[in-house]
């Protein structure tokens, strides 16, 4: 999660919402990403999506079985969909997102029994640090 926080700071340095993501397989980082929708003119360029794309390229497979995704903010609907399609085994996130969180805060997409893939979820890891980075960012922008 600390590496994801460092990536979130990189996003902040680029005036993007400070969210970072890291994908790990067998204790090795295989994908990294930070929010870049503004700089890439791409609404799908969330940290999670970029990390998933990078990991899939590295392992040469769109399925990221047995991986863990660490992300500083609870994923949105789009990112939860990508997590399910990639077959990520475990999601670990920092801050809860009471506006668009699709894991537990607003929606509970990952726990829907109709999915043929289950994702283990652990939220609130380094929650204070992750949330503070976001609060400071938005406070400075207002």
């Amino acid at each position: 999660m600390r590496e994801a926080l460092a990536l979130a700071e990189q996003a902040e340095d680029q005036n993007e919402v400070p969210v970072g993501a890291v994908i790990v397989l067998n204790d090795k980082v295989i994908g990294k990403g930070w929010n870049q929708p503004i700089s890439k003119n791409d609404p799908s360029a969330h940290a999670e999506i970029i990390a998933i794309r990078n990991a899939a390229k590295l392992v040469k497979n769109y399925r990221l079985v047995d991986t863990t995704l660490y992300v500083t903010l609870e994923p949105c609907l789009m990112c939860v969909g990508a997590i399910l399609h990639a077959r990520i085994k475990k999601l670990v996130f920092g801050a809860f997102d009471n506006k668009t969180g699709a894991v537990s805060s607003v929606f509970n997409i990952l726990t829907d029994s109709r999915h043929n893939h289950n994702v283990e979820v652990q939220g609130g890891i380094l929650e204070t640090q992750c949330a503070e980075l976001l609060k400071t960012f938005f406070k400075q922008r207002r």
Side-chain angles (χ1 to χ4, degrees):
M1 186 61 80
R2 293 196 193 288
E3 189 161 348
L5 267 167
L7 292 167
E9 290 170 357
Q10 190 168 337
E12 182 179 36
D13 290 344
Q14 297 174 359
N15 293 315
E16 299 276 4
V17 175
V19 177
V22 175
I23 298 179
V24 174
L25 176 64
N26 299 325
D27 297 321
K28 180 183 174 196
V29 174
I30 62 166
K32 297 179 184 182
W34 60 90
N35 269 7
Q36 299 176 60
I38 297 167
S39 59
K40 290 189 177 284
N41 297 310
D42 179 357
S44 71
H46 287 197
E48 301 94 312
I49 301 294
I50 293 170
I52 289 169
R53 287 175 180 160
N54 290 334
K57 275 185 191 171
L58 184 73
V59 299
K60 296 180 174 48
N61 193 336
Y62 73 109
R63 299 286 197 219
L64 300 174
V65 179
D66 295 324
T67 60
T68 299
L69 168 61
Y70 296 87
V71 62
T72 57
L73 180 65
E74 178 182 358
C76 69
L77 284 165
M78 173 183 69
C79 293
V80 165
I83 290 165
L84 285 167
H85 286 292
R87 302 298 193 263
I88 290 172
K89 182 177 182 177
K90 183 175 182 180
L91 166 66
V92 179
F93 68 88
F96 290 83
D97 185 346
N98 294 320
K99 291 185 180 181
T100 62
V103 177
S104 62
S105 295
V106 179
F107 303 103
N108 295 301
I109 304 301
L110 292 178
T111 60
D112 191 310
S113 62
R114 294 172 287 188
H115 296 303
N116 61 355
H117 174 68
N118 296 316
V119 179
E120 182 183 338
V121 176
Q122 188 175 6
I125 305 304
L126 298 181
E127 180 179 4
T128 302
Q129 295 94 316
C130 294
E132 192 58 40
L133 186 61
L134 288 158
K135 285 177 192 173
T136 301
F137 175 80
F138 285 113
K139 190 175 185 180
Q140 291 172 349
R141 293 186 66 119
R142 290 187 183 125

